[in-house]
Structures are given as C-alpha cells and as structure tokens.
Amino acid sequence: MFRTALRNVLAHKARLLMTVLAVMLGVAFVSGTLVFTSTISDAFRTSSQKSFDNVDVAVMPASPDEPGGTPAKNRLDGKALDSLARLPEAASVTGTANGFTGISDKDGKLIASGANSRGSNYFPGKDGKDARYPLKQGKAPTGADQFALDAGTAAKGGYHVGDTVRISADGPVRQQKLTGIFTTDDGQVAAGGSLALFDTRTAQKLFGLSGGYSEIDVQAAAGTSQAALQQAIDKALPKDSATTATGKELADAEAKAIDENMEGMRTALLAFAAVALFVGIFLIANTFTMLVAQRTKELALMRAVGASRRQVTRSVLIEAFLVGAIAGVSGLAAGIGIAAVLREVLNGFVAKFPEGPLVVSPSAAVAALGIGTVITVLAAWLPARRGAKVPPVAAMNSVHAVATTKSLLVRNTLGALVAGIGTASVIIATSVYDGDDTSKIMLGGGGMLLLVGVFILTPLLSRPLIALATPVLRAFGVSGRLARQNALRNPRRTATTASALMIGLTLITGMTVIAGSTQQGIDKLAVDALKADYTISMEGYTQLPTTAEKKVREVAGVTAVTPLREGMATIGTGAAARQPTPLTGVDGAQFGSLVRPDISEGSLDTLRGDRILVDEDTATHNGWRAGSRLPVTFQDGKKSTLTVTGVYQGNQMLSGVYLDKRTLAPHQKDISDSKLLVKMAGGATDEHKDDLVEALGKNPAVTVADKKDVSSAIASMFTLLLNMLYGLLAMAVIVAVLGVINTLAMSVFERSQEIGMLRAIGLDRRGIKQMVRLESLVISLFGGVLGIGLGVFMGWAVGQLISAHLPTYELVLPWARMGIFLGLAALVGVLAALWPAFRAARLNMLAAIKAE
C-alpha cells in the first residue's frame, strides 16, 4: 500500500501541486506567526534585559493612592540617594529623573509617538561619564539650556551637535542646544522612541521633582547578591517611603509583560492562519474526492485482486500524509520568509521593533509539520472511505458513481438543521445580550454553525443561484449553455469550490460592515456629545500645564473653556466607600455650553459648589439618584458632603463623576489638566485653530483637534486595521483561487473525452476556452454572493452587541466596497480559469476522444 501511494503521488504531481500549495500557505502562516512573535518577543526581551544590566536593585517612590491616606509620595529625595551611597553593599548609586519630553522635527512635528517620547538625566559617575549612555558625538549637557539626544532620533530629525532644537518637556516649548549624541540599549528607544538627556538639576526642575528622583538604581558591591542588597536597602530607608525590586525581578516582569502583549497579536494572527487552513480543507477534500473518483477502476481492480477496504483507505491516507509532509516542510521554510517580511512591513508602517535575529523555535517546526500532515490526512479521510466502498464490479464500468437521492436528502436535511441552529443562536445572542461572555460565545458558535450549515447546503443552493445567471450565459451561445451545465453537473464539487471563496468573503465583508458602522457611530457620538469646537490635549497621555487654560482664555473669539481635571475620592457609604472613585473637575459655569450629555434625572445647570453630575451606570450601581447627599473623603483626607445634581447616560466621550474644579482644587497637591474643551465664536475654522496653536507656543506635543480631526483620526485607525485584516485574509482568498484552479484543471482532465467530442463536432478552441472561463466565473460569483450575504448578516449581528456599548451605532452597508468584493470574486474566476482553459483548448482531438 505504501508503494502504491508513493506511485500515485509521483504519477499525479501536477494534480496534487495545488493541494500542496494550499496546505503550504496555511502552514506558512502558522509557522510564520510563531516565528514572528518569537522573534519580536526575543528582541524586546533582549533589549529590556540590557536596560537592567547595570541595575541590581531599583528603588522607586511609594505612591499610595488610597483617598484619605498619606499624600502620594511621587519622588525620592536627595537624602535617600546619599544614604544608599553610604551602604557597604552598594558599589554605585544612580539617581534617575524621568518625564515626558517631546522632540520636534524641523517642521514642528513630534519625531516619536507621544507615549515613547521621554526625557531623563545624565548622571555622571566618578569618571565623569554615565555608563548607561555612551556619547557618540559631543559632550554631556551641563546647563539649563543644553541637552543630549539619542542617535536614532537625531538622525530622524536631521540634527547635529550644536543645533538648536525645539522640545516640550512637561510644559511649554523650550529652545535647547544639542551638545551631545549618545547610544543606548533602552528598549523604548530601540522600539522607535526618543530619549533626551539633561543635567540632573535641569531634569529635576523640568519634571517637577523638586530636587528629588523618580528612581534610584543601585549596583551591588563585589560578592553581594541582589537579594542581600535589597535587604540592606529596605533597612536603610524609612518604612513605607519607597518600594524596591531586584534587577532580575524587573527583567522577569518586563519579559512577562512583553509575552502578554505579544499574546494578543499571536492569537489574532493564528486566527487568520486558522481561516486559511479551514479554507484549505475544502480544497484538499475536493482534490482527493476527485482523485478517488477518477481512480474508480483502479481502486475496484485492487479490491478485485484481494485488497481489503482498510488497505484501500490506508493507501489514500498514506498519499495524503506524504502530501502533507511535503507541504509542512515547504510551509515552514515559507513561514520563516513571511516572518522576516512581516517584521519589515510592520517596522515601516505600524511600529518600530528592536533589532534581533529570526527565532525559529522547536514549537514552530513541530507545528508546521504536525499541522501540515494532520490537516491533510483529516481532509482526505472521507474521500478515502468513499474510495474504499467502491465495489469490485465497478472495475467493469468507467462511469463514476453519482450521489444518490438518499445521500442528497440526508445532506440537505443535515445542512438545514445546522444552519437553522446557527441562525437561531445568533438571533438569540443579539436579542438577549446583557454584556456577559455567554452571548459572545453564542454569537461566535452560532456564526460558525451557520457557516458550516450553508456549506453543507451549497449543493442545494447552487441550482437556483446559478440558474439566475442563465439569461446572461445564453448570450454566449453554446459555450454559455455548456458552462452552466458543467457547473450544475456535479453540485457537490461546485459547492466545495465556491465555499472556499465564500468563507474568505464572509469575513472580509463582515469586518468591513462592522468597521464602517462603528466609525460612523463614533463620529455621530462626537457630534452628539460635544458642543465644543476644539479639544486640546498633550501627546503621550501626559497632563497639560495649568497655564494652558489661561493662555487659551486670552485668545480672541473664545467664548467658553473648561479643563478636565482628574482626581480621586471615596464617595458614599458601604461598598462604595471602600472603592476609590475617579473624579473630573470642570468649570461648572461653562461645562453645559461645551458638552451635551443625555440627562435622565436632575439638571446640569447647577454644577456648582458641592453639586456633582454622575453617569447612569455609577448611579445605578451605588443606588444614587438626583438629590442624593453623599459623604466624601478626598485624597488629602478632608471630608465633606456632595449632592447629586443630575444623572446622565454615559458613553465613550462622557463618563464618570463631574464636579466644579473649585471644589476639587483645594484637595489636590499637583494641579494639571488632561484636556481642555474650547468653544469659539463662529465655530471651528482654520484661523481659530492657528490662533490656539500660536497661543500654546506651537508646542509639538500639544494637539488641537476639531471634530473633523477626531473623525479623521478614528477613520485612519479603522483604515489601518482594515488594511491589515485585508492583507491577512488575502491568504484565504489565495487558497480559494488555488481551489478554483485545481477544480477546473481536474475537471478538464476528467472531461477530456467530452472536450474531444465537442471539438470533433465543430466547437473551436476559442469556444472551449470560453466555456471553461464562464464555468469558473459562475462558480466564483456563486461563492461571492453567498459570502457577501453571510458577511452582511454576521456584521449586523456583531453590530447588535456593539450597539449595547455604543448607542449611536447604526448599520452601514458599504455598497461600493461590496461591489468591489463581488468584482474581486469575478476576477478570481477569470484568473483561475486561464491555465485550465488553455489546457482544455490545447487537447489533441483524437487523443481526447480515445481517453478513458
């Protein structure tokens, strides 16, 4: 049986090539995902570990945030540094002062993203150098107007030693002289971030540390372990004044965080790989079904000379195993290439990753070989069983067995049952959704069952849907009629071929519907929730200086301004008093002219003094209503009483507890604003925006956005996400194309005698080509119509769940894109038919007539 299987593989190399390619693509995606995520994780891990090479113990400020407790200690003072330097267990002590620092390019824009734009201090040792930051050019900063910059950022900005650079360091724009360019192993810099260094005194002043440090790093003396050093530090510092962590603990925590961050990407990529493999299963099953059908006489003769059913099944499965093994090995090699390309593509368009070698783990190799063989063998199992059931008497007849009425009835009944259960599950999940995971699981499971049910029903659906194309096909004469008959001759084969394309287009259409509807919902939410013309914020989730509000109020045309000022307190009694509640301080007098909350109880007009505005979820959870008087303990420990003046429907734009900033300010040690809302006479105009930017010092780290800018930012996020999804799902479409090519090519081989007869009675080569092309086009459009229809339904269902969290969500059908998708399906049919049509037209007429 092994020799027989090997002979069949070698005898049908061309037929099995498409199957190998389909499995190889799916395997390549899986192994490429594993190699890519392992490579990126290893690069980040190596980079982060280098950051801790000179850190045996890190000392950080203790920052208790329990309202009513000790005020937050957000810095370590100089005395702590001196006391640690005197420890015999410490070889060296380095004080670090960190904070946000945006570096402007020569066009006034940030070089790095806000979250990765950082500043720190150059802390020279006894030799006058900071070992963390070796200078590549120039010298270390020593004055308030000097700074040093990492080499990568300097190169991006085109800066050289001696240049004057505009920077934003936790405040207004500053003009700093670049005195030095350094290299660093800092992980964030390696990932595309920027790092600016100041002398210690300047850094402390810029980052509001008042002569203190945000962290102190200690290296152990010779012979002292990290644990021993940590114990000595804990004894030397006042109790509860600081927290400590060993370098190993920090490195391990960083590695764990990196793995957790990569897990989401790995899961998403593997999900798309699973889709490609799922589509590939149809191609594999179709290929082996056709091979078994074409070898009916051969298998029957094997049975006639004594081969058992088990041996025949084993022969086909061994054949599948060999194909899967070849696909697995080639898929692993292709996966390594995909990982390398994916890293470069994402490096250029999405994020910057640290440099590092490609990491091919044993798990990736095992997965490639295992998936390739297992998927292929499983997909070939049913055709193998069907082949084993061929009776020896079939050796007398070259006509392949057709599906019986009973088998089709069983298939249609099963398909209707599965599709009905899937549809019911989806509808129930969308009807009774209450935010728990059960509804999401029901929706996902129901969607899968619906997809499987429709696949089972596709032979039944093929006849009426393909019949719709009859008027069009008639226009092509004999070729059109023959194409229609060929497409309907074997409904199972047509259905399996079309289903591969159907699955890919279902996912693409569904995601397009969801993304477009969500984007419009968020756009509408921004319009409905905000009356403000502009929102002003800082990059990197940092706080605006309080001077920003004053500067904005002085701009001509400004009619209303409110800051959004964050705070914490415990409000209420019982369970509510045990959990700190976030507060947002606003200008109570002008807040109502800048926002448009959906008030369900009370009023927004009296947001003064001890009055607060509460979102509906918080109020319901705690049993609060308009007029409720609630005890409060602010973060500084002071107690008071607040009264609920109104309850509103929260959303992504407005949520939480709002109160007048004058009520909150006395209890805050450091006052800063996360955002400003601004309304101007005449609305949002380019001139008004320029005036605000000018008033804020043309700060590259400050974003002045009108509603159009917010919408554009949202649109760009969805566009980027969709383009990535389209790229990933293209793998499934490619597999579907291979399926159509494979089906047509094998169908041409199967119908060689028939094609020879058509040529003999007068159908020319052009007519043969047209027949094959039209057949391919009809099958592809059949799969496209099913896929787009299912995609719209699944997009609607997922949208029902989203609408529970996004009240402004509305179903938007992207007619133009759906037209493009249908055109794509047609293009797939045209391209897939090129080679089979050419092959059919080139068949020798007499040889084809004599073929069996």
Side-chain angles (χ1 to χ4, degrees):
M1 289 299 105
F2 179 79
R3 289 196 298 272
T4 301
L6 184 61
R7 184 200 67 195
N8 285 328
V9 169
L10 296 176
H12 305 115
K13 294 186 290 291
R15 300 187 210 172
L16 293 172
L17 176 62
M18 297 299 177
T19 304
V20 171
L21 285 174
V23 180
M24 184 196 75
L25 286 172
V27 170
F29 212 164
V30 173
S31 57
T33 296
L34 296 174
V35 171
F36 171 74
T37 53
S38 296
T39 297
I40 300 304
S41 295
D42 183 75
F44 273 116
R45 192 178 296 110
T46 301
S47 179
S48 66
Q49 286 175 346
K50 288 180 180 179
S51 301
F52 300 116
D53 284 348
N54 298 320
V55 180
D56 288 314
V57 176
V59 184
M60 292 152 287
S63 301
D65 55 5
E66 298 85 359
T70 305
K73 299 181 178 65
N74 59 1
R75 61 182 67 85
L76 296 164
D77 57 29
K79 294 180 181 179
L81 183 76
D82 296 336
S83 62
L84 294 178
R86 291 193 294 267
L87 289 176
E89 293 87 353
S92 66
V93 178
T94 302
T96 302
N98 291 328
F100 170 81
T101 302
I103 307 298
S104 171
D105 63 15
K106 294 180 179 178
D107 294 326
K109 298 179 180 179
L110 280 185
I111 293 178
S113 66
N116 293 325
S117 300
R118 298 184 302 114
S120 189
N121 62 315
Y122 189 88
F123 195 91
K126 295 178 181 179
D127 60 354
K129 298 178 181 179
D130 190 332
R132 301 171 299 174
Y133 310 116
L135 287 167
K136 183 179 179 182
Q137 299 174 24
K139 62 180 182 178
T142 56
D145 62 341
Q146 299 179 359
F147 84 116
L149 189 60
D150 71 272
T153 304
K156 291 176 188 175
Y159 292 126
H160 304 281
V161 172
D163 289 347
T164 298
V165 182
R166 297 175 73 249
I167 69 170
S168 173
D170 277 358
V173 174
R174 300 168 58 90
Q175 301 283 345
Q176 299 282 133
K177 183 179 180 180
L178 182 61
T179 62
I181 296 175
F182 61 91
T183 58
T184 177
D185 292 325
D186 186 282
Q188 284 187 302
V189 174
S194 65
L195 179 61
L197 297 179
F198 308 91
D199 69 87
T200 299
R201 181 173 296 179
T202 301
Q204 290 171 333
K205 183 178 179 182
L206 287 176
F207 305 136
L209 295 170
S210 301
Y213 300 94
S214 50
E215 183 178 316
I216 297 175
D217 298 329
V218 187
Q219 274 192 295
T224 302
S225 66
Q226 289 187 351
L229 177 61
Q230 187 178 29
Q231 289 179 356
I233 291 173
D234 289 338
K235 291 178 181 178
L237 294 177
K239 189 177 181 180
D240 298 332
S241 66
T243 60
T244 59
T246 64
K248 184 179 184 306
E249 290 172 344
L250 292 172
D252 291 344
E254 188 81 10
K256 183 179 179 181
I258 290 169
D259 288 338
E260 290 175 352
N261 290 335
M262 293 303 299
E263 188 62 32
M265 181 182 292
R266 183 185 296 113
T267 301
L269 292 175
L270 287 176
F272 289 104
V275 171
L277 286 171
F278 187 55
V279 174
I281 288 174
F282 294 103
L283 172 55
I284 299 165
N286 207 18
T287 300
F288 278 94
T289 297
M290 296 175 72
L291 285 174
V292 168
Q294 291 173 7
R295 286 158 46 195
T296 300
K297 289 183 66 175
E298 176 187 332
L299 296 176
L301 285 171
M302 289 173 62
R303 292 290 312 284
V305 298
S308 65
R309 288 186 175 183
R310 181 175 297 179
Q311 287 178 311
V312 171
T313 301
R314 192 184 308 153
S315 169
V316 178
L317 291 180
I318 291 173
E319 191 175 337
F321 176 83
L322 294 174
V323 171
I326 295 170
V329 173
S330 55
L332 176 61
I336 296 172
I338 288 175
V341 171
L342 190 59
R343 181 174 64 173
E344 294 304 316
V345 170
L346 294 182
N347 251 337
F349 295 99
V350 180
K352 174 69 177 176
F353 299 121
E355 294 294 329
L358 285 173
V359 178
V360 184
S361 62
S363 62
V366 172
L369 295 174
I371 290 173
T373 53
V374 170
I375 290 292
T376 309
V377 170
L378 287 177
W381 181 65
L382 282 176
R385 285 195 63 194
R386 193 176 298 123
K389 292 180 180 179
V390 175
V393 72
M396 305 300 226
N397 189 355
S398 62
V399 179
H400 308 316
V402 296
T404 64
T405 303
K406 180 181 178 181
S407 67
L408 289 175
L409 179 62
V410 171
R411 176 173 182 144
N412 294 338
T413 303
L414 178 62
L417 183 63
V418 173
I421 293 173
T423 304
S425 297
V426 170
I427 292 175
I428 292 172
T430 57
S431 301
V432 300
Y433 176 72
D434 57 2
D436 60 5
D437 291 335
T438 303
S439 297
K440 297 175 184 177
I441 293 172
M442 283 187 66
L443 178 63
M448 287 296 297
L449 286 175
L450 176 59
L451 203 59
V452 172
V454 171
F455 163 67
I456 297 173
L457 285 173
T458 40
L460 179 66
L461 297 173
S462 63
R463 291 189 177 277
L465 288 179
I466 291 177
L468 294 175
T470 301
V472 177
L473 293 174
R474 282 176 182 164
F476 294 94
V478 175
S479 297
R481 290 196 297 272
L482 289 172
R484 176 180 175 276
Q485 291 171 5
N486 289 334
L488 295 175
R489 177 183 299 181
N490 192 331
R492 287 184 172 179
R493 182 189 304 166
T494 297
T496 306
T497 306
S499 295
L501 187 59
M502 175 191 75
I503 293 170
L505 286 180
T506 296
L507 294 172
I508 291 174
T509 304
M511 289 177 179
T512 303
V513 169
I514 294 167
S517 302
T518 303
Q519 179 185 324
Q520 178 163 306
I522 293 177
D523 289 350
K524 189 173 185 295
L525 180 65
V527 173
D528 291 348
L530 296 179
K531 296 180 185 177
D533 296 314
Y534 295 99
T535 60
I536 300 174
S537 59
M538 286 279 287
E539 292 280 351
Y541 308 104
T542 54
Q543 300 292 301
L544 286 162
T546 51
T547 54
E549 181 185 355
K550 181 181 178 182
K551 291 179 179 178
V552 168
R553 288 188 183 277
E554 293 172 352
V555 174
V558 171
T559 59
V561 178
T562 184
L564 300 184
R565 188 168 297 168
E566 298 172 355
M568 295 287 289
T570 54
I571 305 176
T573 58
R578 293 192 294 270
Q579 187 69 29
T581 300
L583 303 175
T584 303
V586 297
D587 187 323
Q590 298 188 339
F591 190 57
S593 61
L594 292 162
V595 297
R596 192 182 289 110
D598 183 5
I599 302 291
S600 56
E601 286 185 54
S603 170
L604 173 61
D605 299 333
T606 56
L607 193 60
R608 311 281 196 282
D610 65 348
R611 305 282 178 166
I612 60 173
L613 188 68
V614 183
D615 70 275
E616 203 168 75
D617 289 343
T618 302
T620 302
H621 179 73
N622 294 307
W624 302 341
R625 298 180 59 83
S628 297
R629 290 180 60 79
L630 308 170
V632 59
T633 303
F634 290 100
Q635 197 165 354
D636 63 351
K638 301 289 179 63
K639 299 179 184 295
S640 184
T641 301
L642 298 176
T643 302
V644 178
T645 187
V647 178
Y648 68 97
Q649 180 67 49
N651 53 48
Q652 283 76 8
M653 294 291 175
L654 297 172
S655 63
V657 179
Y658 292 91
L659 76 167
D660 193 281
K661 64 178 182 176
R662 298 169 187 83
T663 304
L664 182 61
H667 307 286
Q668 292 184 298
K669 186 175 182 180
D670 298 312
I671 297 177
S672 57
D673 303 324
S674 61
K675 192 175 293 185
L676 292 176
L677 302 181
V678 183
K679 189 172 183 61
M680 304 192 75
T685 65
D686 292 340
E687 292 76 12
H688 285 159
K689 186 174 183 178
D690 291 341
D691 290 343
L692 291 172
V693 171
E694 186 73 32
L696 293 166
K698 295 184 177 179
N699 192 325
V702 173
T703 300
V704 179
D706 57 23
K707 292 176 183 178
K708 183 178 178 181
D709 295 328
V710 173
S711 178
S712 298
I714 294 170
S716 64
M717 290 170 56
F718 279 108
T719 301
L720 177 62
L721 178 62
L722 269 182
N723 288 340
M724 291 178 63
L725 294 177
Y726 289 161
L728 294 170
L729 286 172
M731 187 71 70
V733 176
I734 291 173
V735 174
V737 172
L738 294 176
V740 178
I741 296 173
N742 202 30
T743 298
L744 290 174
M746 298 182 76
S747 179
V748 167
F749 174 83
E750 185 180 285
R751 303 199 312 258
S752 295
Q753 189 178 62
E754 175 187 318
I755 292 171
M757 290 296 296
L758 289 172
R759 290 289 316 283
I761 61 176
L763 190 62
D764 59 13
R765 289 183 173 178
R766 182 180 178 184
I768 295 292
K769 286 182 179 180
Q770 191 175 68
M771 177 187 71
V772 176
R773 288 171 185 157
L774 290 173
E775 179 184 353
S776 175
L777 185 62
V778 166
I779 292 173
S780 297
L781 286 175
F782 170 52
V785 169
L786 284 179
I788 292 172
L790 284 172
V792 170
F793 177 73
M794 292 307 301
W796 165 82
V798 174
Q800 292 297 106
L801 302 192
I802 295 174
S803 64
H805 299 286
L806 185 62
T808 53
Y809 181 92
E810 293 180 2
L811 180 66
V812 177
L813 295 182
W815 295 106
R817 291 206 177 192
M818 288 193 294
I820 292 174
F821 297 155
L822 196 60
L824 175 64
L827 181 62
V828 165
V830 172
L831 295 178
L834 291 178
W835 179 62
F838 175 79
R839 181 182 179 188
R842 301 295 296 178
L843 284 175
N844 182 279
M845 189 186 311
L846 296 177
I849 292 173
K850 292 189 295 181
E852 295 186 359

